[in-house]
Amino acid sequence: MTPEREAQPRTSERDDTRTEVEEATTGLAADALWGLWQDPPTLPTKWLYDERGSRLFDEITRLPEYYPTRRETAILREHSADIVAATHAEVMVELGSGTSTKTRLLLDAFSAATPDSGRFTYVPVDVSSEMLTTTADVLSADYPGVEIVPLGADFTEPDLHLPDADGARLAVFLGGTIGNFNPEARREFYQGLAKALSPGDFFLLGTDLVKDTGRLVAAYDDKAGVTADFNRNLIEVLRTGLDARGLYADDFEHIARWNPGEHRIEMWLRARRDIDAYFEVLGRAWRLPAGAEVHTEISTKFEPDALRDELESAGLQVVTVWTDPAGDFALTLSRR
């Protein structure tokens, strides 16, 4: 789980045979056409993060069961100055910025190191334009010496382009969101990022580490039911975004389970009744029998050595790894 939980890439190729509607669609419509008729049905995690979903996730990060945000925040609080000293970055690009709550620790550190107005630029990148606009307005007021340049984009798309800079750039991907990517998609993402970075640029990655299964499941199935509401919000995104009839969030049950073979938590939505919906935007009916599940998110947990191998095989040389005292979470700084 991560606005961290922003982007789950596509896990299979689209069919070669497409209707004219499919050829003409983009965004949510294209992803729904690609995923809802698979077996099992699936959707990219990024669609969990509309404005309401982003706010629900922000609430999740404050729940007692959800440890990753507290651990990552503690690491950032202790080592933000070290990150500034190691990178001397003039531009920080945050992928999947969400509410940019933890990012303030980095902005504080960079602001202190670059006191002259206009010397440091922060580029939050997010798929939720509403959240992006709100966050950028707040940060601009709170950090008048930092140039805030919001960018509404899906950073999982091919040909990633980062804003130019005279000095070093720092790409930041926090919250353990990389765990939403399957192995093939992680490899493609690292390779694309390495291509977008110039020699001497840096990449800061937050990852959740392998630990006790009970703690992991509890973090994604809290007693208050906030994560369940977050997961079911995807149905609301589909209903409103694709003008769906016969599709209601209350008809789905939140499921979180551990997949030991893949070292990951999986989130699903299980139909409580037979679903018979029609998507006006797509011009297609969708049926799901009671008990069937829609796959909405994966959250992989990492072993440090395996993560290092993944990064370095893509041309991102690991410089430093910071963890919390309990070894729950890690921040890895690599260099192109």
Side-chain angles (χ1 to χ4, degrees):
M1 180 186 305
T2 58
E4 301 168 0
R5 306 184 294 185
E6 156 155 348
Q8 180 183 351
R10 299 166 185 171
T11 54
S12 64
E13 295 297 325
R14 295 177 185 269
D15 294 335
D16 290 334
T17 303
R18 306 180 187 177
T19 66
E20 291 182 3
V21 172
E22 289 175 299
E23 290 286 359
T25 54
T26 59
L28 176 61
D31 286 338
L33 283 168
W34 160 78
L36 290 181
W37 283 267
Q38 288 194 40
D39 185 18
T42 185
L43 282 170
T45 300
K46 64 187 178 184
W47 298 113
L48 288 164
Y49 291 90
D50 66 342
E51 184 174 12
R52 180 173 183 267
S54 295
R55 295 191 185 283
L56 282 170
F57 178 75
D58 197 43
E59 185 177 346
I60 287 169
T61 64
R62 297 190 292 271
L63 294 170
E65 298 96 332
Y66 194 71
Y67 62 86
T69 299
R70 291 190 295 276
R71 297 294 189 264
E72 187 175 41
T73 299
I75 299 170
L76 284 169
R77 184 173 289 115
E78 183 173 357
H79 294 290
S80 285
D82 297 329
I83 294 167
V84 173
T87 64
H88 298 288
E90 295 184 3
V91 174
M92 178 170 69
V93 181
E94 184 175 9
L95 308 175
S97 54
T99 57
S100 300
T101 303
K102 295 189 302 291
T103 315
R104 287 174 174 268
L105 296 168
L106 288 168
L107 290 175
D108 289 341
F110 275 110
S111 296
T114 56
D116 296 335
S117 178
R119 287 192 58 198
F120 185 73
T121 301
Y122 171 56
V123 183
V125 182
D126 203 282
V127 71
S128 173
S129 57
E130 302 96 334
M131 180 62 65
L132 192 63
T133 299
T134 301
T135 300
D137 289 344
V138 171
L139 291 177
S140 294
D142 292 347
Y143 294 91
V146 175
E147 184 179 7
I148 310 294
V149 185
L151 177 61
D154 177 3
F155 61 85
T156 67
E157 292 296 323
D159 301 322
L160 176 66
H161 176 74
L162 302 180
D164 295 329
D166 294 332
R169 295 174 297 179
L170 171 64
V172 177
F173 198 17
L174 300 177
T177 308
I178 191 64
N180 296 151
F181 293 61
N182 65 25
E184 179 183 354
R186 287 200 304 272
R187 181 169 56 253
E188 292 175 355
F189 171 75
Y190 294 143
Q191 290 173 347
L193 180 63
K195 182 179 179 181
L197 294 172
S198 299
D201 286 343
F202 293 86
F203 177 44
L204 183 68
L205 177 66
T207 52
D208 198 5
L209 303 179
V210 173
K211 59 183 63 63
D212 175 73
T213 303
R215 288 183 62 209
L216 289 170
V217 173
Y220 292 80
D221 195 11
D222 61 274
K223 293 179 180 179
V226 182
T227 305
D229 287 344
F230 171 80
N231 197 14
R232 282 193 292 265
N233 186 61
L234 184 61
I235 300 301
E236 282 299 301
V237 171
L238 287 172
R239 187 180 67 82
T240 58
L242 300 180
D243 193 13
R245 302 193 301 269
L247 189 66
Y248 306 101
D250 288 345
D251 289 332
F252 291 85
E253 177 187 4
H254 166 67
I255 303 294
R257 63 171 66 99
W258 174 248
N259 182 330
E262 300 291 340
H263 288 175
R264 70 191 191 192
I265 290 285
E266 296 178 352
M267 291 204 330
W268 301 77
L269 288 170
R270 179 184 294 161
R272 290 182 167 135
R273 64 170 181 84
D274 290 342
I275 306 298
D276 191 353
Y278 183 80
F279 296 102
E280 190 69 37
V281 169
L282 304 181
R284 294 187 66 172
W286 183 62
R287 294 176 175 83
L288 190 71
E293 297 178 351
V294 179
H295 191 196
T296 59
E297 182 179 74
I298 63 173
S299 187
T300 303
K301 311 306 172 184
F302 295 89
E303 298 283 1
D305 289 344
L307 178 63
R308 178 186 291 267
D309 290 343
E310 286 188 10
L311 289 168
E312 295 191 346
S313 65
L316 298 166
Q317 189 70 31
V318 172
V319 176
T320 307
V321 179
W322 297 284
T323 62
D324 61 279
D328 284 339
F329 203 91
L331 279 180
T332 301
L333 182 67
S334 58
R335 183 171 184 171
R336 172 71 168 86

